[in-house]
Amino acid sequence: MKWSSALSKLIQTYHRTVKERCLNMAGVPKYSMAYWQNILFAQAMLFILPASVIATLPGITYNLFSQRYVLAILDGMSLCIVLAIGLLGKIQVSYRKLLLVVVTYFVGFYSMAYSNLMPVGILYFFGAGMLGILILPMRYAFLWSLINTAISLAYGMAMYFNAGLHPKMGIMEWMYISLNLVFFSFLSSWLLPRLMAGIGGAFERQKKLANALRQEHRRVAEALQQVEGKSREIEEMVYFASHDLQDPLRMINGFVTKLKQHKEEQLDDKGKEYLNFALDGGLRMQHIVQNLLELSRSGQVKKSRREEVDLLRLVQNLEKILAEDISKSEATVEYYRLPKVQSHAQLLENVMQNLLTNAIKYRHPERKPHIAITAERKGENCQIAVADNGLGIALEKRERVFEAFYRIDSSGNDQRGTGIGLAIVKKSVEALGGKVWLQSEENKGSTFYFTIPDT
Ligand code: ADP
């Protein structure tokens, strides 16, 4: 346990040190090509340092034993330079990168000098070129293939003038080998910058898109805030207007009623008719104003004010309130096993009252109204349905019935409602955190469904 924690600490320190030395992101724009090159260099160093220790130490030991001292010294020097690049402080990152490329070429050179290590040398030249392209500025990408070409030519010339350089190989064979090095070097110089630019460009585009999206998001949020502010303003206006209208209206209706009670006898038939119109209009207006007030209040519900609501008792209570309408229309109301829910009693009562009154109001002329109320649990919600056997609602009007002041019979002959009832239902249900919808068939009946969260 101790060993493993000491080891992980050592690895962490190693990672931190190499990153501190080799990763310099000051002034480098995020996701730019330089950004990726810097990351690539730091990651490469994390790998190269231990790998070169593991690879070189046995080689040095072997060279010492087999008395190839020069090779051992050169290997030792290269290892020291690599360690210095990764771990020594106070060297600029750009110099570290250049030094890594140079030391790779250096290994290539002395490997070439040892005739039996020539393939290793060529690999190192290619590797040095690749490193140069990937970690140093891309505008120098072709410089590395030119260097590899120059090395190939120089080595070929040296072979030509001094046949002893590589006794087992002719100049033609060298040309064949070195041409491959030149070919792959140029291919890399051409391909790798394009690949890196493609990656950088893709990130750049993504960044721009993300920025544009963020700005758009902010604009939408601001617009939404403005709309919300405006709708709150309107709601308040409606509230105060309907609230303030109530008193004068009550007064007008009161006096018109008194006029009817005490002075109707003195009026002729026309006068009586006008008085009745005035009374009807006044009462209707009072109804509209009350509905408006209810509508503007229905959106204001505090989550903290949730309480246990017994749906059964709520419906039984509504039956009492609507007793006159129920008995006049000879309606039957059916329900059983209505649960208790965690909700807002007043809003729920508004919803149910509007749905029940509509089910009675919009009954079919040829049959007595029959209303069925059911409730069932749907996940974390309670879904309540109020079904009637009334007039039904045509398909194209089903969405619109929830709009304020929308009435199916807008001719003015239908005195039954104000067009606000279902708007109150929708607003109340949404304020409770639920949804409302309906299914209906013309001349057969409608079912209004709504959900309320119950957790
Ligand atoms: P109103 O105050 O006019 O009843 P609502 O918003 O409650 O206003 O309803 C809007 C319209 O939807 C009504 O004019 C009516 O035509 C129709 N409607 C509502 N409930 C029912 C129902 N249960 N059956 C048939 N039509 C209905």
Side-chain angles (χ1 to χ4, degrees):
M1 197 59 197
K2 259 185 184 172
W3 271 103
S4 65
S5 74
L7 189 70
S8 80
K9 222 175 216 162
L10 188 75
I11 293 174
Q12 273 175 17
T13 320
Y14 167 66
H15 272 241
R16 208 183 38 247
T17 316
V18 174
K19 271 194 184 149
E20 266 169 28
R21 305 282 190 259
C22 302
L23 195 64
N24 177 17
M25 290 300 198
V28 179
K30 212 168 182 189
Y31 306 133
S32 64
M33 183 113 83
Y35 172 89
W36 293 114
Q37 284 186 298
N38 284 355
I39 287 182
L40 202 71
F41 173 62
Q43 290 293 330
M45 284 316 292
L46 273 177
F47 170 77
I48 287 172
L49 290 177
S52 54
V53 172
I54 293 165
T56 323
L57 282 183
I60 294 175
T61 323
Y62 172 75
N63 286 335
L64 283 175
F65 274 110
S66 52
Q67 293 178 344
R68 296 199 289 186
Y69 296 118
V70 181
L71 202 55
I73 290 169
L74 289 170
D75 270 349
M77 271 172 61
S78 314
L79 181 61
C80 289
I81 296 173
V82 170
L83 291 178
I85 294 172
L87 303 174
L88 218 66
K90 287 188 186 152
I91 307 175
Q92 270 186 30
V93 175
S94 49
Y95 289 136
R96 289 180 201 270
K97 289 178 174 176
L98 188 64
L99 214 57
L100 183 68
V101 178
V102 171
V103 80
T104 315
Y105 269 117
F106 177 62
V107 178
F109 279 124
Y110 70 72
S111 301
M112 288 290 284
Y114 278 84
S115 50
N116 58 344
L117 290 179
M118 201 191 80
V120 180
I122 289 190
L123 267 182
Y124 270 91
F125 289 147
F126 181 65
M130 291 277 280
L131 273 175
I133 298 166
L134 286 173
I135 61 177
L136 288 165
M138 291 275 170
R139 58 180 177 278
Y140 302 126
F142 277 97
L143 176 72
W144 311 108
S145 10
L146 290 174
I147 290 176
N148 284 350
T149 313
I151 291 170
S152 303
L153 281 174
Y155 196 79
M157 298 239 293
M159 271 175 92
Y160 182 74
F161 290 112
N162 177 7
L165 196 62
H166 202 291
K168 290 187 197 133
M169 191 185 285
I171 187 83
M172 290 311 283
E173 278 165 302
W174 169 247
M175 268 178 66
Y176 178 70
I177 291 172
S178 61
L179 267 176
N180 284 301
L181 171 67
V182 172
F183 169 72
F184 283 112
S185 298
F186 273 101
L187 189 67
S188 310
S189 299
W190 191 74
L191 275 185
L192 288 179
R194 268 157 191 75
L195 183 72
M196 295 291 279
I199 295 173
F203 271 94
E204 203 53 41
R205 274 194 295 279
Q206 209 175 347
K207 207 168 71 180
K208 273 192 191 142
L209 267 176
N211 273 343
L213 209 67
R214 245 196 310 275
Q215 270 177 7
E216 203 51 45
H217 199 265
R218 209 172 305 137
R219 261 204 295 275
V220 170
E222 275 169 16
L224 204 68
Q225 222 173 1
Q226 275 177 1
V227 170
E228 270 170 7
K230 280 269 172 271
S231 80
R232 233 192 332 267
E233 234 173 71
I234 293 171
E235 215 160 76
E236 274 169 16
M237 252 170 57
V238 171
Y239 176 79
F240 285 116
S242 42
H243 187 264
D244 290 358
L245 275 174
Q246 263 189 329
D247 275 347
L249 250 178
R250 219 177 280 134
M251 214 162 78
I252 294 171
N253 284 341
F255 281 113
V256 176
T257 314
K258 273 202 165 62
L259 208 63
K260 187 174 162 68
Q261 281 167 356
H262 302 296
K263 304 284 177 190
E264 197 180 15
E265 301 308 312
Q266 297 169 19
L267 297 172
D268 60 3
D269 283 350
K270 264 277 175 269
K272 281 180 190 157
E273 198 184 347
Y274 291 157
L275 188 64
N276 282 332
F277 279 154
L279 194 57
D280 273 0
L283 288 174
R284 217 176 127 58
M285 191 148 165
Q286 206 168 358
H287 190 201
I288 294 175
V289 166
Q290 267 163 5
N291 276 182
L292 270 175
L293 203 59
E294 207 178 310
L295 179 68
S296 61
R297 274 194 201 130
S298 54
Q300 302 156 0
V301 52
K302 286 206 178 79
K303 288 240 160 62
S304 52
R305 283 193 40 211
R306 274 151 62 107
E307 59 210 311
E308 187 179 83
V309 184
D310 186 344
L311 278 176
L312 182 67
R313 281 186 57 189
L314 187 141
V315 172
Q316 284 170 340
N317 193 36
L318 280 175
E319 267 188 308
K320 282 184 205 152
I321 296 172
L322 302 173
E324 201 185 323
D325 292 339
I326 293 175
S327 74
K328 256 196 209 160
S329 60
E330 295 181 72
T332 43
V333 183
E334 189 186 53
Y335 50 82
Y336 69 106
R337 277 212 220 150
L338 292 179
K340 290 180 178 159
V341 289
Q342 282 299 318
S343 197
H344 193 287
Q346 188 54 55
L347 285 186
L348 260 185
E349 195 179 295
N350 288 351
V351 172
M352 291 301 286
Q353 184 164 355
N354 277 300
L355 292 179
L356 286 177
T357 0
N358 280 353
I360 300 170
K361 271 196 296 188
Y362 302 108
R363 60 183 172 269
H364 200 280
E366 287 160 16
R367 52 185 178 253
K368 291 175 187 165
H370 180 268
I371 305 160
I373 305 167
T374 49
E376 61 178 308
R377 180 157 274 286
K378 290 262 160 121
E380 294 187 338
N381 293 324
C382 177
Q383 181 179 305
I384 300 160
V386 179
D388 64 46
N389 59 345
L391 291 171
I393 300 170
L395 187 65
E396 67 278 8
K397 292 172 182 156
R398 278 179 212 162
E399 269 307 305
R400 297 209 60 195
V401 291
F402 292 105
E403 290 172 16
F405 300 111
Y406 179 79
R407 305 180 64 205
I408 291 180
D409 182 1
S410 52
S411 61
N413 299 330
D414 187 355
Q415 296 285 308
R416 289 174 290 190
T418 57
I420 301 178
L422 287 180
I424 294 176
V425 168
K426 186 165 193 271
K427 211 165 163 199
S428 306
V429 169
E430 283 172 0
L432 290 172
K435 276 193 317 194
V436 59
W437 69 99
L438 74 110
Q439 279 174 359
S440 186
E441 205 174 322
E442 270 186 293
N443 289 319
K444 288 219 165 137
S446 319
T447 306
F448 284 83
Y449 297 92
F450 68 94
T451 56
I452 39 167
D454 174 33
T455 42

